[in-house]
Amino acid sequence: MGLRQDSSFSNDALVSDSQKRFSIAIVGGGLGGLSLAIGLVQRGIPVQVYEGATDWTDAGAGLVFAKNSMAAMKKISPDIYNAFAKRSSGQGWESKKTTYMDYRDGRADGELVTSVICANTGQESVHRTLFAKDLVALLPEGTFQMGKRLVGIDDRPDGGYTLRFADGESTDADVVVGSDGIKSKCRQVLLGEDCPEAIPKFAKEFAYRGMVPMERAVAVLGEEFARNSMVNIGPSCLTTTYPVEKGTLLNLVACCSIGKWAHEDWMVPSSQEAVRKDFAGCGPVMQKVISMMDKPAMWALFDHPDCSTFYKARFALIGDAAHASTPHQGAGCGQAFEDAHVMCSLLADEYVDSPERVEDAFAAYDAIRRPRTLKVVNTSRENGEICMMRGESTGDDLCKIKATLDQRFHWIWHEDLDQQVQQARTKLREASEARCSRQTTKDLQNLQLEHSN
């Protein structure tokens, strides 16, 4: 099923009559960084995006989104949502259009445990790389550069930053936003390379990933299982499948729990024999899913469950650089769009008229976004445990698993994004008043000093 395009702007998404008096460097050209860049450009704020990769890859190609994510896209810019709508795939059957995921017992023949409903939107999925390319096309020419791998950031005397890249080049910016993914160099710089929070944490899971033509998936799984989004839960493992690219492809993910990751690299080649061994105790549907993993590789799953701050001065983190998550709630990337929405709204605020006031905007962003996003990270880990039948309060009891799944996503989906922005702006105003008060006190002290002399 396709989505209708959107032509409406939110109130804060109007193009500014005059540009802001500061420049912003966004490090990382994933979906979060690109959506932020589009939103800032359309609000009259100069921006440059520096992506470390030299070429596009299809790693982790499929992404799922629900109501909150799509609402955030619209609020940043209708252009982002329209690019998404052109590519997105919903459930293949009309009868499942409001279903987020069908959860099935993977130990047997895939009997239904529960259909999790997200009214009005259901679930939409997209091919990550192709969507990212579409977003780049929305940026002014020269705004996006690839092959710019960050190696360091230096403070400048004026409060800005100098970014150094692996190719030997450097650039200056008044403001830096780190959107460079789970292995973020920006996170290491902001928190300190020796800070334990700077390093991703192994989630004690790994995944096999794949993508196959829908015709093949239908032949292997049948119409219902191939054309609609499914999670098959099993003992210490699960499979997730959903259509992408207007239903022409099926994205495959097969996760297993493991106590320790013994490899230096996060991705290591595997074999069909190894995959079959990992899923030996599972039923026929899960066996059919893993049979389509033609060139299997093991991908270690890491996340960022803790972070004491998302900003420092005029330097902030968004997306996976701030709060990388496991995939078990389908909510990680959606949080990056929420980040971009709140940050765009704050930086476009009339109060933020100089580089010095960006710090107040970032403080407000941190106060509003950090608690919610870190809750998403930690509940995603928890949902992985539940769907691998290892949940502390659910175990392998399907009735308890159903009761948990039926209600655990609502707080993510039904978030009031306008309220987030309103709360952030209130904190921005409070910071403005405090700054003015400090300046007034300083001016009076200077005046008294002059008179005393």
Side-chain angles (χ1 to χ4, degrees):
M1 293 176 60
L3 293 172
R4 292 183 179 179
Q5 296 186 23
D6 186 85
S7 59
S8 62
F9 256 127
S10 60
N11 291 335
D12 65 6
L14 300 174
V15 177
S16 175
D17 292 332
S18 60
Q19 289 190 337
K20 296 280 187 173
R21 293 180 296 175
F22 50 83
S23 60
I24 298 180
I26 298 176
V27 180
L31 298 180
L34 291 173
S35 60
L36 175 64
I38 292 165
L40 292 175
V41 166
Q42 294 185 354
R43 289 160 174 79
I45 303 174
V47 63
Q48 286 287 320
V49 182
Y50 301 98
E51 166 57 38
T54 57
D55 200 0
W56 299 100
T57 68
D58 289 337
L63 294 170
V64 298
F65 298 92
K67 179 180 179 180
N68 61 303
S69 310
M70 290 178 269
M73 293 179 199
K74 293 178 183 180
K75 290 177 181 296
I76 301 166
S77 166
D79 295 337
I80 294 174
Y81 178 78
N82 291 340
F84 174 77
K86 288 178 181 179
R87 288 204 177 274
S88 66
S89 303
Q91 304 287 3
W93 287 10
E94 182 70 18
S95 61
K96 293 181 178 291
K97 66 179 181 179
T98 62
T99 300
Y100 182 69
M101 284 278 183
D102 278 345
Y103 287 82
R104 296 180 176 273
D105 184 356
R107 298 171 299 182
D109 293 329
E111 288 85 356
L112 185 67
V113 175
T114 188
S115 291
V116 176
I117 303 300
C118 184
N120 300 323
T121 63
Q123 176 250 82
E124 294 285 331
S125 52
V126 74
H127 191 295
R128 178 205 300 261
T129 303
L130 297 179
F131 184 30
K133 289 181 179 179
D134 292 341
L135 295 187
V136 171
L138 296 177
L139 289 169
E141 187 175 353
T143 303
F144 178 80
Q145 299 182 53
M146 297 190 80
K148 291 294 181 182
R149 183 171 62 85
L150 185 74
V151 295
I153 300 178
D154 301 320
D155 295 337
R156 296 203 327 251
D158 65 355
Y161 304 93
T162 297
L163 285 70
R164 294 181 283 108
F165 302 106
D167 62 5
E169 295 187 354
S170 63
T171 191
D172 292 337
D174 297 315
V175 178
V176 174
V177 178
S179 181
D180 48 342
I182 189 169
K183 297 182 180 180
S184 172
K185 179 66 176 179
C186 287
R187 185 184 179 99
Q188 294 176 23
V189 173
L190 190 146
L191 297 175
E193 294 190 1
D194 295 331
C195 176
E197 293 179 351
I199 307 302
K201 304 300 186 295
F202 180 53
K204 297 184 179 181
E205 304 169 16
F206 68 90
Y208 298 105
R209 295 170 175 168
M211 192 172 287
V212 298
M214 183 57 71
E215 293 81 0
R216 180 184 174 190
V218 170
V220 174
L221 295 173
E223 288 282 342
E224 181 180 10
F225 280 62
R227 296 195 184 277
N228 301 288
S229 302
M230 304 282 174
V231 177
N232 290 285
I233 65 177
S236 298
C237 62
L238 62 82
T239 62
T240 303
T241 56
Y242 49 87
V244 296
E245 277 302 285
K246 295 300 181 184
T248 61
L249 300 170
L250 185 68
N251 193 71
L252 314 172
V253 182
C255 295
C256 290
S257 63
I258 186 174
K260 182 180 180 181
W261 187 252
H263 309 280
E264 182 176 348
D265 293 334
W266 286 17
M267 188 277 286
V268 295
S270 188
S271 65
Q272 260 291 334
E273 181 182 2
V275 180
R276 288 193 296 268
K277 182 178 179 181
D278 287 331
F279 288 83
C282 299
V285 175
M286 293 180 78
Q287 297 294 337
K288 290 176 182 179
V289 171
I290 64 169
S291 74
M292 294 185 285
M293 301 281 188
D294 294 329
K295 297 180 180 179
M298 299 170 62
W299 296 76
L301 298 185
F302 286 78
D303 61 10
H304 282 306
D306 302 296
C307 194
S308 56
T309 183
F310 284 175
Y311 86 104
K312 181 180 180 181
R314 305 181 207 165
F315 182 11
L317 305 174
I318 69 167
D320 280 357
H323 45 76
S325 174
T326 56
H328 301 305
Q329 291 179 143
C333 190
Q335 291 305 299
F337 286 105
E338 288 189 20
D339 289 347
H341 168 49
V342 173
M343 186 173 285
C344 281
S345 299
L346 290 169
L347 293 176
D349 191 279
E350 61 183 2
Y351 166 72
V352 186
D353 59 0
S354 66
E356 292 74 22
R357 292 189 169 182
V358 170
E359 182 172 356
D360 296 336
F362 282 170
Y365 158 81
D366 176 76
I368 297 303
R369 294 298 301 150
R370 186 157 50 91
R372 172 169 166 82
T373 55
L374 293 182
K375 182 178 178 182
V376 168
V377 176
N378 287 284
T379 54
S380 180
R381 270 208 192 198
E382 181 181 85
N383 201 47
E385 293 286 305
I386 292 168
C387 293
M388 293 188 192
M389 299 184 170
R390 301 188 304 155
E392 184 175 344
S393 61
T394 52
D396 62 359
D397 187 321
L398 294 181
C399 291
K400 291 181 178 179
I401 291 173
K402 169 181 166 52
T404 299
L405 292 174
D406 284 343
Q407 53 78 33
R408 70 176 292 108
F409 299 93
H410 294 175
W411 70 274
I412 300 175
W413 298 337
H414 303 298
E415 174 74 358
D416 189 334
L417 301 181
D418 291 333
Q419 185 179 55
Q420 278 195 45
V421 171
Q422 183 179 357
Q423 291 173 340
R425 282 178 168 158
T426 296
K427 290 186 176 296
L428 181 61
R429 293 291 181 269
E430 292 171 351
S432 170
E433 293 170 0
R435 183 183 288 273
C436 289
S437 177
R438 290 194 300 270
Q439 186 61 48
T440 299
T441 300
K442 183 177 180 181
D443 291 344
L444 288 173
Q445 290 174 341
N446 290 337
L447 185 62
Q448 292 172 351
L449 184 61
E450 289 176 9
H451 287 166
S452 66
N453 291 334

